[in-house]
Amino acid sequence: MALEGDFAQEKSGWVADQLAKIDETGSTASVHVAGQAVVVFTYRGPKTGKLYRRPLMRVEHDGVYAAVASKGGAPEHPVWYSALLSNEVVEVQDGTTVVSGPVREIHGAEREQWWERAVAAYPPYAEYQEKTDRLIPVLLVEPGRA
């Protein structure tokens, strides 16, 4: 079931440009960051009730998608981190395919396994972790799970 409602205005110019290109082509394959693929996470903002779209690096395994809350190694989490967790269901667009599922934060050995996948997909994540004292959160969207 597709998320429905009004979309929030994107404030960041480069993100708005990425989303416009994806909308124009109908596929996330039209946008890359440092030569790496992205996917788009769509979620509802807990305060505004509006829908937000966030292009993030594509970290996928067996149909499950990870959202890495790196914020480039900043000392604080990105704003979307808590917003994503406040949703029961999140959509992910990968290429022209859109899937939806529950979102959860992972810890321990499961996080370590996904962290390795994240760094393999986008090597700068390792540098971002070195830049911050916080453990960079990894969230999973698991399509097909209730």
Side-chain angles (χ1 to χ4, degrees):
M1 181 168 127
L3 294 176
E4 295 180 359
D6 293 330
F7 281 89
Q9 178 75 28
E10 177 52 53
K11 296 176 186 172
S12 175
W14 66 272
V15 173
D17 291 345
Q18 286 181 334
L19 292 171
K21 182 71 171 175
I22 291 166
D23 290 344
E24 176 186 320
T25 63
S27 176
T28 60
S30 61
V31 173
H32 293 85
V33 174
Q36 304 298 312
V38 301
V39 295
V40 175
F41 287 76
T42 302
Y43 58 94
R44 189 170 307 283
K47 293 179 185 173
T48 66
K50 292 188 176 186
L51 296 175
Y52 290 82
R53 296 189 305 160
R54 183 66 42 211
L56 298 173
M57 303 312 298
R58 184 183 188 276
V59 181
E60 180 272 341
H61 181 76
D62 289 342
V64 175
Y65 292 88
V68 179
S70 69
K71 198 175 180 184
E76 70 281 345
H77 299 323
V79 173
W80 58 259
Y81 163 76
S82 59
L84 212 64
L85 282 174
S86 73
N87 282 250
E88 289 185 27
V89 174
V90 173
E91 288 181 354
V92 181
Q93 180 180 353
D94 184 1
T96 58
T97 301
V98 177
V99 297
S100 63
V103 61
R104 66 183 176 94
E105 186 169 354
I106 56 175
H107 305 279
E110 185 179 27
R111 184 204 173 274
E112 290 307 312
Q113 182 180 44
W114 275 94
W115 182 255
E116 289 178 16
R117 291 173 180 150
V119 170
Y122 187 65
Y125 282 144
E127 177 186 324
Y128 297 166
Q129 184 60 78
E130 290 176 12
K131 289 170 55 176
T132 186
D133 291 333
R134 69 184 172 94
L135 183 64
I136 293 175
V138 178
L139 312 176
L140 295 184
V141 174
E142 301 171 286
R145 282 211 173 161

